[in-house]
Amino acid sequence: MARALNQWLWQHEFWLPPGITWEDMQETEDTRYPQPRDLLLSIPFAVVLVAIRYAFERAVALPLSSKLGVRDKQRPKAQPNPVLETFYTTRCKNPKEGELIGLAKQSDLPVRKVERWFRRRRNADRPSLSKKFCEACWRFLFYITAFFTGLAVLYDKPWLWDHRECWTGYPQQPLQPSLFWYYLLELSFYWSLVFTLPFDVKRKDFKEQIVHHAATIFLIGFSYCANYIRIGTLVLVIHDASDCFLEPTKIFNYMKWKKTCDSLFMIFSAVFLISRLVIFPYTVLYNTYYYSMEIFQPFFGYYFVNALLIILQLLHVFWSCLIIHMVYKFILQGTMEKDMRSDTEESDKDEEREKIKEKEKNGIAYFSNVTSNNYIQQNGSEPLNNRTHLSNGHVKDR
C-alpha cells in the first residue's frame, strides 16, 4: 500500500513539465539537481535552530531586555478556586453570562468576583513583555541574517535582474551549493516556527499564521522538488525584506521608545505594501503565471505552485488591510495604535469603575460641602461652630 502510494505521489506528470521524466533529472559527476530526499535534512536543522533560539533568548535577549528597561507588568493573581479552575482548564476560558451565574452559585461568590477571577486567570496565561521582546529579538536576528544571505547569494544571478531567466533551461537547471544551503536555512526556520508554535506568543491572526507557515513550507518543499528554486529564492528575499523592519518595530515598542517605534512602523508599512502588493505580484505571480508558459505547457505542478502563491498573496492582502488601518489611525492620532494582531491584556474594568465611582462620590460630596459653605458665607450665615456669640448679643467670626 505504502509503495503504491509512493509511486503514485512521485509520478513525473505531477512534478515536471510534459516530456520530462525523473530520469532526465538524474545527477552526474558534474551536474547536481534537487533531490526530494534532501529536504529531510531540514528537520534536524530545525531542531538545531530551536536549540540556538533557546540559548540566544536565555543568554542574550533576556539580559538585554532588563538592561533596556523592559519590565513585565505586575498582574494580580487569581485566588485558588478548584471549581473555577476546573471549568477554566476543561470547559471554557471565557464563560458566558449564564455560565458565570452557575459558577457563582457553585463557588458561593458574587458574579462580579467570578468575572474578575476569569480575567485575572486569562491574564496569567498571557505572555509577558520580556517573552515578547525575546521572541522579537530572535526573529529579527534570523530575518536580517536571511535577507543579507539571500542578497549575497543572488546578487550575481541573472534571474534577479531579468525575471525571464527563471525559466531558461527549466527544469534542467543545475543546483548550486549556495542556493541549496540558502533554501535549507529558510525551510529549517519555518519548520522551527511550527515546532515552537504552541509556545510562541499567540496573536489574533494565529490561524492566518498557521496557514502562512503551512503554505510557505509546502511552497518551499514543492519548489525544491520541482526545481522552481529560482522563483523560490525571489519569494524568500521579498518576504524577508519587510520582516527586517517589523521585528525591530516591536522591540522598540516594548522598550517604550515611541518616536523610534513610530518611525520604524512607517518604514515597515511602506516596505511591506510595496514589496507584497507591487513587487511580489509582478516579480513572482506574473512571472510564474505568464513567463513560464513561454517555456512549457501548463501541468499539475504549474497550477499547484500558482495556487500556493495566490494563497500567500491573499494573506498579504489581509495583513495589508490591517497595516493600512493602523497607518490611517497613525495619521489621525499622531501616534501608532497598538498592533491589532496582539492579544491585549484585560483590565479589571469592574474594579476600575468602582474606584472611579467612589472618587466621583467623594468628589461630589466634597464639592457639595465646599459649595454649601461658600453659599452660606455669601449669604452671611455660617454654622454656629464657626461663629462666637458675644455677651452684648453681637456675633464675631472666628
Side-chain angles (χ1 to χ4, degrees), residues 277-296:
L277 299 184
V278 179
I279 297 177
F280 183 84
Y282 173 73
T283 304
V284 177
L285 289 180
Y286 187 83
N287 188 5
T288 308
Y289 190 80
Y290 288 104
Y291 289 165
S292 61
M293 288 193 293
E294 297 176 357
I295 307 298
F296 55 81

Side-chain angles (χ1 to χ4, degrees), residues 136-199:
C137 285
W138 164 249
R139 296 196 182 201
F140 172 66
L141 177 65
F142 174 82
Y143 287 133
I144 199 73
T145 302
F147 177 68
F148 283 104
T149 299
L151 291 181
V153 168
L154 294 176
Y155 82 97
D156 60 344
K157 303 299 186 294
W159 63 86
L160 180 63
W161 313 107
D162 183 1
H163 305 320
R164 279 188 168 87
E165 287 293 326
C166 290
W167 312 110
T168 301
Y170 180 84
Q172 294 171 303
Q173 297 170 336
L175 176 63
Q176 301 177 20
S178 59
L179 297 177
F180 167 75
W181 289 109
Y182 177 52
Y183 241 64
L184 186 62
L185 174 67
E186 293 278 2
L187 181 58
S188 301
F189 175 71
Y190 282 101
W191 271 122
S192 72
L193 292 183
V194 173
F195 295 160
T196 59
L197 205 57
F199 314 103

Side-chain angles (χ1 to χ4, degrees), residues 83-93:
V83 175
L84 301 182
E85 184 66 31
T86 302
F87 186 92
Y88 182 86
T89 54
T90 60
R91 295 276 303 277
C92 177
K93 296 182 178 181

